[in-house]
mmCIF file of all heavy atoms in Angstrom:
data_model
loop_
_atom_site.group_PDB
_atom_site.id
_atom_site.type_symbol
_atom_site.label_atom_id
_atom_site.label_comp_id
_atom_site.label_asym_id
_atom_site.label_seq_id
_atom_site.Cartn_x
_atom_site.Cartn_y
_atom_site.Cartn_z
ATOM 1 N N ALA A 49 87.821 92.237 47.485
ATOM 2 C CA ALA A 49 87.276 91.563 46.284
ATOM 3 C C ALA A 49 88.020 92.038 45.022
ATOM 4 O O ALA A 49 87.793 93.149 44.554
ATOM 5 C CB ALA A 49 85.793 91.818 46.152
ATOM 6 N N LYS A 51 87.894 91.533 41.962
ATOM 7 C CA LYS A 51 87.237 91.863 40.727
ATOM 8 C C LYS A 51 86.928 93.398 40.654
ATOM 9 O O LYS A 51 86.800 93.949 39.586
ATOM 10 C CB LYS A 51 85.955 91.100 40.554
ATOM 11 C CG LYS A 51 84.841 91.351 41.519
ATOM 12 C CD LYS A 51 83.547 90.644 41.039
ATOM 13 C CE LYS A 51 82.347 91.158 41.851
ATOM 14 N NZ LYS A 51 81.972 90.311 42.987
ATOM 15 N N ALA A 52 86.781 94.065 41.803
ATOM 16 C CA ALA A 52 86.475 95.477 41.796
ATOM 17 C C ALA A 52 87.550 96.262 41.118
ATOM 18 O O ALA A 52 87.263 97.281 40.434
ATOM 19 C CB ALA A 52 86.231 95.990 43.183
ATOM 20 N N ASP A 70 89.480 88.078 48.016
ATOM 21 C CA ASP A 70 88.391 87.270 47.549
ATOM 22 C C ASP A 70 88.525 87.229 46.008
ATOM 23 O O ASP A 70 88.426 88.265 45.347
ATOM 24 C CB ASP A 70 87.093 87.814 47.967
ATOM 25 C CG ASP A 70 85.864 87.057 47.382
ATOM 26 O OD1 ASP A 70 85.852 85.828 47.545
ATOM 27 O OD2 ASP A 70 84.925 87.719 46.853
ATOM 28 N N VAL A 72 87.435 85.486 42.089
ATOM 29 C CA VAL A 72 86.348 84.808 41.358
ATOM 30 C C VAL A 72 86.820 84.094 40.144
ATOM 31 O O VAL A 72 86.041 83.676 39.291
ATOM 32 C CB VAL A 72 85.190 85.769 41.090
ATOM 33 C CG1 VAL A 72 84.434 86.164 42.338
ATOM 34 C CG2 VAL A 72 85.630 87.024 40.341
ATOM 35 N N SER A 93 86.000 82.104 45.090
ATOM 36 C CA SER A 93 84.538 81.990 44.967
ATOM 37 C C SER A 93 84.191 81.939 43.484
ATOM 38 O O SER A 93 85.048 82.057 42.616
ATOM 39 C CB SER A 93 83.833 83.211 45.586
ATOM 40 O OG SER A 93 84.369 83.505 46.840
ATOM 41 N N GLY A 94 82.862 81.889 43.185
ATOM 42 C CA GLY A 94 82.433 81.980 41.826
ATOM 43 C C GLY A 94 81.456 80.803 41.461
ATOM 44 O O GLY A 94 81.638 79.717 41.910
ATOM 45 N N ASN A 114 85.064 78.562 47.897
ATOM 46 C CA ASN A 114 83.732 78.823 48.212
ATOM 47 C C ASN A 114 82.777 78.046 47.246
ATOM 48 O O ASN A 114 82.876 78.279 46.009
ATOM 49 C CB ASN A 114 83.485 80.305 48.000
ATOM 50 C CG ASN A 114 82.655 80.859 49.101
ATOM 51 O OD1 ASN A 114 81.787 80.161 49.570
ATOM 52 N ND2 ASN A 114 82.904 82.060 49.419
ATOM 53 N N GLU A 116 79.380 76.792 45.331
ATOM 54 C CA GLU A 116 78.117 77.434 45.021
ATOM 55 C C GLU A 116 77.016 76.444 44.571
ATOM 56 O O GLU A 116 75.926 76.866 44.207
ATOM 57 C CB GLU A 116 78.300 78.507 43.893
ATOM 58 C CG GLU A 116 79.273 79.578 44.389
ATOM 59 C CD GLU A 116 78.695 81.016 44.102
ATOM 60 O OE1 GLU A 116 77.489 81.116 43.897
ATOM 61 O OE2 GLU A 116 79.492 81.956 44.265
ATOM 62 N N ARG A 140 78.356 78.765 49.919
ATOM 63 C CA ARG A 140 77.663 80.022 49.838
ATOM 64 C C ARG A 140 76.140 79.756 49.990
ATOM 65 O O ARG A 140 75.502 79.086 49.150
ATOM 66 C CB ARG A 140 77.894 80.657 48.482
ATOM 67 C CG ARG A 140 77.119 81.994 48.286
ATOM 68 C CD ARG A 140 77.670 82.757 47.132
ATOM 69 N NE ARG A 140 76.909 83.984 46.919
ATOM 70 C CZ ARG A 140 77.261 84.882 46.064
ATOM 71 N NH1 ARG A 140 78.342 84.723 45.312
ATOM 72 N NH2 ARG A 140 76.523 85.955 45.844
ATOM 73 N N THR A 155 72.041 89.651 44.617
ATOM 74 C CA THR A 155 72.487 88.254 44.398
ATOM 75 C C THR A 155 71.979 87.276 45.452
ATOM 76 O O THR A 155 72.207 86.069 45.402
ATOM 77 C CB THR A 155 74.034 88.165 44.484
ATOM 78 O OG1 THR A 155 74.489 88.771 45.707
ATOM 79 C CG2 THR A 155 74.688 88.881 43.318
ATOM 80 N N PHE A 162 73.144 82.551 42.283
ATOM 81 C CA PHE A 162 74.280 82.345 43.260
ATOM 82 C C PHE A 162 73.832 81.517 44.476
ATOM 83 O O PHE A 162 72.698 81.583 44.946
ATOM 84 C CB PHE A 162 74.780 83.698 43.769
ATOM 85 C CG PHE A 162 75.262 84.590 42.639
ATOM 86 C CD1 PHE A 162 74.451 85.574 42.083
ATOM 87 C CD2 PHE A 162 76.517 84.422 42.169
ATOM 88 C CE1 PHE A 162 74.905 86.329 41.084
ATOM 89 C CE2 PHE A 162 76.982 85.234 41.120
ATOM 90 C CZ PHE A 162 76.179 86.177 40.558
ATOM 91 N N HIS A 188 79.297 81.060 54.119
ATOM 92 C CA HIS A 188 79.445 82.339 53.327
ATOM 93 C C HIS A 188 78.047 82.716 52.853
ATOM 94 O O HIS A 188 77.239 81.968 52.448
ATOM 95 C CB HIS A 188 80.340 82.068 52.147
ATOM 96 C CG HIS A 188 80.467 83.202 51.160
ATOM 97 N ND1 HIS A 188 80.297 83.026 49.853
ATOM 98 C CD2 HIS A 188 80.703 84.480 51.367
ATOM 99 C CE1 HIS A 188 80.456 84.211 49.202
ATOM 100 N NE2 HIS A 188 80.695 85.084 50.096
ATOM 101 N N HIS A 190 76.581 86.404 50.442
ATOM 102 C CA HIS A 190 76.823 87.731 49.816
ATOM 103 C C HIS A 190 75.531 88.059 49.090
ATOM 104 O O HIS A 190 75.157 87.467 48.148
ATOM 105 C CB HIS A 190 78.024 87.607 48.853
ATOM 106 C CG HIS A 190 78.210 88.870 48.017
ATOM 107 N ND1 HIS A 190 78.764 90.031 48.539
ATOM 108 C CD2 HIS A 190 77.878 89.135 46.748
ATOM 109 C CE1 HIS A 190 78.821 90.948 47.550
ATOM 110 N NE2 HIS A 190 78.288 90.445 46.447
ATOM 111 N N GLY A 192 74.429 91.108 47.780
ATOM 112 C CA GLY A 192 74.349 92.084 46.672
ATOM 113 C C GLY A 192 75.373 93.177 46.868
ATOM 114 O O GLY A 192 76.155 93.136 47.870
ATOM 115 N N SER A 193 75.361 94.107 45.984
ATOM 116 C CA SER A 193 76.414 95.143 45.970
ATOM 117 C C SER A 193 75.733 96.562 46.073
ATOM 118 O O SER A 193 74.551 96.727 45.906
ATOM 119 C CB SER A 193 77.136 95.065 44.624
ATOM 120 O OG SER A 193 78.379 95.659 44.684
ATOM 121 N N GLN A 194 76.547 97.506 46.395
ATOM 122 C CA GLN A 194 76.152 98.915 46.608
ATOM 123 C C GLN A 194 74.988 98.973 47.548
ATOM 124 O O GLN A 194 73.922 99.524 47.318
ATOM 125 C CB GLN A 194 75.827 99.527 45.222
ATOM 126 C CG GLN A 194 75.344 101.006 45.208
ATOM 127 C CD GLN A 194 76.345 101.919 45.889
ATOM 128 O OE1 GLN A 194 77.485 101.547 46.266
ATOM 129 N NE2 GLN A 194 75.934 103.161 46.237
ATOM 130 N N GLY A 228 80.506 88.325 53.090
ATOM 131 C CA GLY A 228 80.483 88.827 51.743
ATOM 132 C C GLY A 228 80.916 90.284 51.740
ATOM 133 O O GLY A 228 81.426 90.826 52.694
ATOM 134 N N GLY A 229 80.600 90.923 50.583
ATOM 135 C CA GLY A 229 80.942 92.378 50.487
ATOM 136 C C GLY A 229 79.651 93.214 50.407
ATOM 137 O O GLY A 229 78.689 92.850 51.030
ATOM 138 N N GLY A 230 79.677 94.212 49.554
ATOM 139 C CA GLY A 230 78.440 94.909 49.248
ATOM 140 C C GLY A 230 78.259 96.260 49.903
ATOM 141 O O GLY A 230 77.318 96.969 49.546
ATOM 142 N N VAL A 231 79.137 96.625 50.828
ATOM 143 C CA VAL A 231 78.916 97.955 51.448
ATOM 144 C C VAL A 231 79.002 99.066 50.389
ATOM 145 O O VAL A 231 79.937 99.145 49.594
ATOM 146 C CB VAL A 231 80.087 98.221 52.550
ATOM 147 C CG1 VAL A 231 79.941 99.631 53.110
ATOM 148 C CG2 VAL A 231 79.944 97.198 53.616
ATOM 149 N N GLU A 264 84.236 90.780 52.505
ATOM 150 C CA GLU A 264 84.846 90.755 51.181
ATOM 151 C C GLU A 264 84.499 92.129 50.421
ATOM 152 O O GLU A 264 83.746 92.096 49.419
ATOM 153 C CB GLU A 264 84.214 89.587 50.356
ATOM 154 C CG GLU A 264 84.421 88.250 50.972
ATOM 155 C CD GLU A 264 83.614 87.135 50.243
ATOM 156 O OE1 GLU A 264 82.652 87.454 49.467
ATOM 157 O OE2 GLU A 264 83.959 85.988 50.431
ATOM 158 N N PRO A 265 84.928 93.188 50.940
ATOM 159 C CA PRO A 265 84.611 94.474 50.350
ATOM 160 C C PRO A 265 85.313 94.713 49.035
ATOM 161 O O PRO A 265 86.531 94.424 48.973
ATOM 162 C CB PRO A 265 85.069 95.487 51.395
ATOM 163 C CG PRO A 265 86.228 94.849 51.997
ATOM 164 C CD PRO A 265 85.952 93.364 52.080
ATOM 165 N N GLY A 266 84.692 95.213 48.039
ATOM 166 C CA GLY A 266 85.394 95.623 46.841
ATOM 167 C C GLY A 266 85.153 97.166 46.645
ATOM 168 O O GLY A 266 86.060 97.949 46.884
ATOM 169 N N ARG A 267 83.995 97.479 46.279
ATOM 170 C CA ARG A 267 83.597 98.843 45.984
ATOM 171 C C ARG A 267 83.984 99.839 47.106
ATOM 172 O O ARG A 267 84.477 100.875 46.900
ATOM 173 C CB ARG A 267 82.091 98.913 45.716
ATOM 174 C CG ARG A 267 81.596 100.223 45.120
ATOM 175 C CD ARG A 267 80.066 100.205 45.056
ATOM 176 N NE ARG A 267 79.558 99.011 44.470
ATOM 177 C CZ ARG A 267 79.246 98.870 43.148
ATOM 178 N NH1 ARG A 267 79.486 99.814 42.371
ATOM 179 N NH2 ARG A 267 78.697 97.710 42.707
ATOM 180 N N PHE A 268 83.665 99.379 48.367
ATOM 181 C CA PHE A 268 83.936 100.225 49.515
ATOM 182 C C PHE A 268 85.403 100.666 49.599
ATOM 183 O O PHE A 268 85.721 101.829 49.945
ATOM 184 C CB PHE A 268 83.466 99.595 50.810
ATOM 185 C CG PHE A 268 83.770 100.378 52.034
ATOM 186 C CD1 PHE A 268 82.945 101.478 52.360
ATOM 187 C CD2 PHE A 268 84.870 100.150 52.820
ATOM 188 C CE1 PHE A 268 83.297 102.276 53.489
ATOM 189 C CE2 PHE A 268 85.175 100.906 53.888
ATOM 190 C CZ PHE A 268 84.341 102.001 54.206
ATOM 191 N N ALA A 360 86.072 101.473 41.341
ATOM 192 C CA ALA A 360 85.681 100.134 41.447
ATOM 193 C C ALA A 360 84.830 99.819 40.173
ATOM 194 O O ALA A 360 83.979 100.608 39.707
ATOM 195 C CB ALA A 360 84.763 99.963 42.665
ATOM 196 N N TYR A 361 85.041 98.668 39.626
ATOM 197 C CA TYR A 361 84.308 98.198 38.442
ATOM 198 C C TYR A 361 84.439 99.194 37.273
ATOM 199 O O TYR A 361 83.536 99.391 36.514
ATOM 200 C CB TYR A 361 82.815 97.954 38.757
ATOM 201 C CG TYR A 361 82.686 96.984 39.929
ATOM 202 C CD1 TYR A 361 82.334 97.446 41.203
ATOM 203 C CD2 TYR A 361 83.043 95.660 39.830
ATOM 204 C CE1 TYR A 361 82.262 96.571 42.318
ATOM 205 C CE2 TYR A 361 82.991 94.777 40.854
ATOM 206 C CZ TYR A 361 82.627 95.247 42.121
ATOM 207 O OH TYR A 361 82.551 94.379 43.203
HETATM 208 C C1 PLP B 11 81.320 91.047 43.909
HETATM 209 C C2 PLP B 11 81.481 90.316 45.169
HETATM 210 C C3 PLP B 11 82.007 90.977 46.279
HETATM 211 C C4 PLP B 11 82.359 92.453 46.332
HETATM 212 O O1 PLP B 11 81.237 93.282 46.174
HETATM 213 P P1 PLP B 11 81.307 94.782 46.483
HETATM 214 O O2 PLP B 11 79.898 95.265 46.311
HETATM 215 O O3 PLP B 11 82.272 95.382 45.528
HETATM 216 O O4 PLP B 11 81.796 94.985 47.855
HETATM 217 C C5 PLP B 11 82.258 90.220 47.368
HETATM 218 N N1 PLP B 11 81.914 88.921 47.469
HETATM 219 C C6 PLP B 11 81.423 88.212 46.388
HETATM 220 C C7 PLP B 11 81.189 86.790 46.425
HETATM 221 C C8 PLP B 11 81.208 88.931 45.189
HETATM 222 O O5 PLP B 11 80.642 88.296 44.152
#
Side-chain angles (χ1 to χ4, degrees):
K51 69 172 191 264
D70 176 51
V72 290
S93 316
N114 222 327
E116 299 231 14
R140 179 164 177 176
T155 55
F162 300 98
H188 174 231
H190 170 77
S193 200
Q194 183 55 11
V231 175
E264 304 172 342
R267 193 186 311 269
F268 176 79
Y361 307 106

